């Protein structure tokens, strides 16, 4: 449902007058309109839908920032929290004619939200990712999950199908499909009566002549399932997922992809662009990947939230290695005591993993960047969330980015130790010496023998600010600092990866406190600016990442 939608801001507690003074692009953010460039609060989108036959509909919203209420013909049909994960809503028995779809989005801050707070990136407002309208029957395939494994006899895949039955009666269905050259037969399944009753069935299949997915050979396969009703010749529904055969482990101090150690030469990347905000079209996503690839990069960290599924699709196709993390950055223990924190994190984690589990490019799940992992109370939150993700998907190693140095209390809970260090920018430490101390802290605090990643390092560099004196903030000084860091880290054999902070400059929240230190309300540590214009440091990254 891409295109222009009607839009009206709803300042304060306004319910709206029925007038829509703007026409905004979906997917997009309202900040793209010059009159709404700094608007924070509630706004409502409207789209009229013409239906030609009696039908049941499912609406899929790939991302609404930051909270959403969805109305169909004036009736509230669903609500959702979190800008960066998808959600759906069904409408049964829609009659022919013209129907109104309204979506109320809200990106304001408040006590009801524990994760959406003023931060070192900007939370835009609106329908920032695509909206999809689907026609559904009484029985349909809700989801497919694929988990590959490999042993001495070859490759297997555990496939879980979720089938929804909205009819008031139990139904017998047959599920069949293909993956590569293999025929998949799940047999007959009895669906319990609905409405909305979901039955899951899991089968494990063996696969011959598999080409494993890797960074150099990103081989993808179509996994297609068809749903057959008893007594009906044609399928009533089908669903296709793209999957890859690969296994990831964290063992003996290394990250292993298909049994071979990999070194992550990465960038942290925000979904942010000066012209598009968080709603990058496919062309700009491809452009980002091409710029990174030209600097020798092979890995991306989705700081600090789950990314657009289209970007992950590109990473699958091109062989990128992805660290994906939940939406929680820099929260103090006081913020983590918000009564909604546990439930909102649980929902975000569940949606992130279940929606993105089939992407072979994702090799690490991560949680709670720079939160209160230095306290026993905070440790309980880390333990709870890591345990939750392991229950959802045990096929990937887990990590989190820590900045607590010798005070860290959660390294033993993760599979990979990750630390954020900013020597020569926030501190005067020698990068190599600080890295060695970080390894020692990790060994002492529960991370001994685990792979280690430098998950953030970098320096501000204001695009176009050149200084013969190489003062802080100049492009020259940024390049110097990144070079010192890269030289030191690439000599440390105990490291399994590096993620430079960051790929592109990004907008930040205009607020008080430490956010006032962000000149021009930007985090300017990008190696390219918000328009993707390269800074001097790009040549440094290229020199060391390609030469490594």
């Amino acid at each position: 449902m891409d295109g222009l939608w009607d839009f009206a801001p709803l300042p304060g507690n306004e319910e709206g007058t029925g007038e829509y003074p703007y026409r905004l692009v979906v997917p997009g953010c309202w900040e793209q309109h010059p009159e709404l460039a700094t608007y924070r609060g509630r706004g409502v989108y409207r789209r009229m839908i013409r239906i030609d036959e009696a039908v049941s509909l499912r609406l899929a919203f790939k991302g609404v920032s930051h909270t959403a209420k969805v109305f169909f013909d004036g009736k509230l049909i669903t609500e959702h929290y979190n800008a960066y994960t998808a959600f759906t809503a069904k409408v049964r028995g829609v009659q022919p004619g013209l129907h109104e779809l309204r979506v109320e989005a809200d990106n304001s801050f408040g006590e009801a939200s524990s994760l959406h707070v003023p931060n070192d990136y900007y939370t835009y407002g609106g329908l920032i990712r695509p909206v999809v309208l689907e026609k559904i029957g009484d029985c349909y395939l809700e989801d497919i999950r694929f988990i590959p494994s490999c042993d001495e006899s070859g490759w297997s895949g555990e496939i879980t199908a979720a089938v929804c039955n909205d009819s008031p009666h139990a139904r017998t269905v047959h599920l069949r499909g293909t993956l590569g050259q293999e025929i998949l037969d799940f047999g007959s399944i009895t669906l319990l009566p609905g409405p909305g009753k979901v039955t899951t069935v899991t089968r494990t299949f063996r696969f011959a002549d598999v080409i494993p997915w890797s960074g150099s050979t990103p081989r993808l396969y179509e996994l297609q399932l068809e749903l057959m009703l008893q007594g009906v010749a044609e399928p009533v529904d089908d669903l296709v997922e793209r999957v890859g055969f690969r296994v990831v482990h964290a063992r003996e101090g290394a990250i292993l992809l298909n049994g071979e150690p990999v070194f992550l030469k990465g960038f942290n990347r925000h979904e942010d662009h000066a012209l598009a905000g968080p709603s990058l079209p496919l062309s700009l996503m491809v452009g980002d990947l091409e710029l990174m690839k030209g600097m020798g990069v092979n890995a991306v960290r989705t700081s600090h939230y789950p990314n657009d599924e289209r970007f992950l699709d590109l990473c699958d196709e091109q062989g990128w290695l992805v660290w994906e993390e939940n939406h929680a950055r820099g929260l103090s223990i006081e913020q983590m005591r918000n009564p909604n924190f546990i439930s909102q994190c649980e929902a975000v984690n569940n949606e992130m993993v279940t929606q993105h589990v089939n992407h072979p490019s994702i090799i690490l799940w991560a949680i709670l960047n720079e939160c209160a992992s230095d306290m026993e109370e905070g440790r309980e939150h880390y333990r709870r969330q890591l345990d939750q993700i392991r229950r959802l998907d045990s096929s990937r190693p887990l990590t989190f980015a820590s900045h607590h140095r010798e005070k860290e209390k959660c390294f033993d809970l993760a599979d990979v130790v990750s630390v954020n260090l900013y020597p020569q920018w926030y501190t005067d430490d020698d990068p190599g010496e600080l890295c060695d101390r970080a390894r020692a802290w990790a060994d002492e605090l529960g991370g001994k023998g685990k792979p280690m990643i430098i998950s953030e390092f970098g320096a501000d560099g204001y695009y176009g600010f050149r200084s013969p004196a190489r003062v802080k903030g100049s492009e020259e000084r940024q390049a110097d600092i990144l070079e010192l860091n890269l030289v030191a880290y690439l000599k440390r054999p105990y490291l399994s990866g590096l993620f430079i902070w960051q790929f592109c400059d990004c907008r930040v929240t205009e607020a008080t406190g430490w956010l006032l230190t962000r000149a021009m309300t930007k985090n300017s540590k990008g190696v390219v600016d918000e328009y993707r214009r390269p800074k001097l440091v790009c040549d440094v990254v290229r020199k060391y990442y390609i030469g490594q």
Side-chain angles (χ1 to χ4, degrees):
M1 298 184 71
D2 292 3
L4 290 170
W5 291 44
D6 302 326
F7 177 78
L10 298 175
N13 295 317
E14 239 178 69
E15 290 304 318
T17 62
E19 297 181 359
Y20 294 84
Y22 300 98
R23 295 274 283 165
L24 299 186
V25 173
V26 173
C29 60
W30 58 57
E31 288 86 355
Q32 289 172 285
H33 194 288
E35 295 178 10
L36 302 168
T38 59
Y39 178 69
R40 184 172 297 281
R42 295 163 57 237
V44 60
Y45 289 77
R46 181 182 67 174
R47 174 82 177 258
M48 304 306 293
I49 304 171
R50 183 170 295 280
I51 301 297
D52 296 327
E53 60 179 336
V55 70
S56 294
L57 302 175
R58 183 170 73 162
L59 291 150
F61 298 88
K62 304 298 185 175
V64 180
S65 185
H66 188 272
T67 60
K69 293 182 179 180
V70 181
F71 301 83
F72 193 86
D73 287 340
K75 180 182 178 182
L76 179 66
I77 58 173
T78 194
E79 299 181 55
H80 184 258
Y81 175 81
N82 188 50
Y84 308 109
T85 48
F87 63 99
T88 62
K90 290 185 289 188
V91 189
R92 286 286 173 190
V94 180
Q95 297 303 305
L98 197 62
H99 298 271
E100 180 191 61
L101 173 63
R102 285 191 295 117
V103 183
E104 182 182 304
D106 186 352
N107 73 335
S108 60
F109 302 119
E111 286 300 312
S113 174
S114 64
L115 307 180
H116 170 48
V117 298
N119 225 318
D120 206 17
Y121 54 91
Y122 196 86
T123 309
Y124 295 86
L127 277 61
I128 62 172
R129 294 179 184 169
V131 180
V132 178
L133 179 65
E134 302 170 333
K135 175 184 175 181
I136 56 173
D138 284 343
C139 296
Y140 61 92
L141 277 159
E142 178 83 24
D143 187 41
I144 307 172
R145 169 193 171 105
F146 175 78
I147 302 294
S149 59
C150 188
D151 57 24
E152 298 81 5
S153 58
W155 286 92
S156 299
E158 180 188 87
I159 303 174
T160 300
V163 186
C164 186
N165 179 21
D166 275 340
S167 77
H169 309 290
R171 309 291 291 269
T172 299
V173 299
H174 193 94
L175 195 58
R176 67 188 187 191
T178 58
L179 196 166
Q181 302 301 312
E182 301 297 326
I183 304 298
L184 312 175
D185 192 338
F186 286 73
S188 294
I189 305 163
T190 299
L191 306 180
L192 299 177
K197 183 67 176 179
V198 175
T199 301
T200 60
V201 56
T202 300
R203 300 283 188 270
T204 298
F205 300 92
R206 303 288 303 184
F207 297 92
D209 302 321
V210 163
I211 299 174
W213 185 97
S214 69
S216 57
T217 57
R219 180 67 162 88
L220 296 172
Y221 292 84
E222 280 196 354
L223 165 56
Q224 180 173 3
L225 296 185
E226 293 181 335
L227 186 65
M228 312 291 296
L229 280 180
Q230 193 173 48
V232 179
E234 295 297 319
V236 296
D237 194 26
D238 72 343
L239 188 58
V240 178
E241 284 280 352
R242 291 194 313 178
V243 300
F245 288 86
R246 62 100 186 91
V247 289
V248 188
H249 297 99
R251 292 176 180 163
E252 299 177 355
I255 297 173
L256 305 178
L257 178 63
N258 301 328
E260 298 295 325
V262 292
F263 187 86
L264 308 180
K265 297 180 287 186
F267 273 124
N268 291 274
R269 174 184 175 269
H270 271 297
E271 290 184 318
D272 197 1
H273 192 284
L275 300 179
S279 305
L280 278 69
L282 194 64
S283 58
L284 292 182
M285 294 181 191
V286 171
D288 280 0
L289 289 171
E290 292 298 334
L291 284 170
M292 289 190 282
K293 186 187 302 182
M295 287 181 270
V297 175
N298 67 1
V300 181
R301 178 184 175 204
T302 70
S303 48
H304 296 293
Y305 36 79
N307 270 201
D308 190 311
E309 65 184 8
R310 295 169 298 169
F311 182 76
L312 298 175
D313 285 340
L314 291 169
C315 292
D316 293 341
E317 293 172 8
Q318 298 183 15
W320 290 84
L321 307 177
V322 177
W323 157 331
E324 182 159 81
E325 66 188 39
N326 68 2
H327 180 217
R329 183 221 164 268
L331 300 179
S332 67
I333 196 62
E334 289 75 21
Q335 290 171 309
M336 295 169 79
R337 288 170 183 156
N338 183 301
N340 298 312
F341 178 76
I342 292 176
S343 61
Q344 288 175 347
C345 283
E346 182 177 325
V348 170
N349 292 341
N350 181 69
E351 291 169 349
M352 173 182 74
V353 175
T354 57
Q355 292 169 16
H356 292 169
V357 69
N358 291 332
H359 289 282
S361 57
I362 298 175
I363 64 166
L364 290 168
W365 297 123
I367 63 168
L368 301 177
N369 173 78
E370 291 190 355
C371 295
S373 58
D374 60 334
M375 305 178 69
E376 288 298 332
E377 184 179 347
R379 177 182 167 84
E380 284 306 302
H381 291 296
Y382 278 77
R383 180 194 56 75
R384 182 188 302 108
Q385 293 193 34
L386 291 169
D387 285 350
Q388 177 199 3
I389 293 178
R390 283 196 180 93
R391 290 192 299 270
L392 292 168
D393 175 28
S394 61
S395 71
R396 292 169 170 89
L398 308 185
T399 191
F400 65 92
S402 169
H403 68 317
H404 292 301
R405 301 190 175 203
E406 71 275 13
K407 298 178 181 178
E408 178 57 56
K409 291 185 179 295
C410 298
F411 282 147
D412 63 308
L413 302 176
D415 303 307
V416 176
V417 170
S418 300
V419 293
N420 295 345
L421 304 174
Y422 286 87
Q424 299 297 304
W425 182 253
Y426 293 124
T427 72
D428 293 329
D429 295 289
D430 174 88
E433 293 175 1
L434 180 60
C435 187
D436 291 340
R437 294 205 304 273
R439 179 73 259 185
W441 296 327
D443 290 347
E444 295 167 7
L445 299 171
K448 191 173 181 61
K450 296 181 179 182
M452 183 174 180
I453 291 172
I454 306 297
S455 39
E456 292 181 23
F457 63 101
D460 282 345
Y462 303 112
Y463 178 81
F465 172 41
R466 306 292 291 276
S467 168
R470 312 181 90 83
V471 297
K472 273 196 168 185
S474 66
E475 288 193 40
E476 290 89 349
R477 184 67 164 271
Q478 181 189 34
D480 292 345
I481 291 173
L482 262 292
E483 184 163 28
L484 285 170
N485 278 258
L486 287 167
V487 167
Y489 302 150
L490 291 171
K491 291 179 179 177
R492 266 62 189 176
Y494 56 76
L495 290 180
S496 292
L498 312 174
F499 287 89
I500 295 169
W501 188 271
Q502 59 182 332
F503 168 62
C504 59
D505 291 349
C506 68
R507 185 175 176 179
V508 306
T509 310
E510 184 173 344
T512 58
W514 63 270
L515 283 167
L516 284 174
T517 67
R518 298 297 187 222
M520 301 177 286
T521 62
K522 291 193 304 183
N523 187 314
S524 297
K525 291 185 176 64
V527 303
V528 299
D529 77 351
E530 64 271 35
Y531 294 96
R532 279 38 179 185
R533 295 177 297 185
K535 304 176 189 177
L536 290 176
V537 70
C538 287
D539 290 334
V540 172
V541 176
R542 188 178 297 110
K543 172 183 176 181
Y544 289 97
Y545 270 177
I546 291 179
Q548 195 267 340

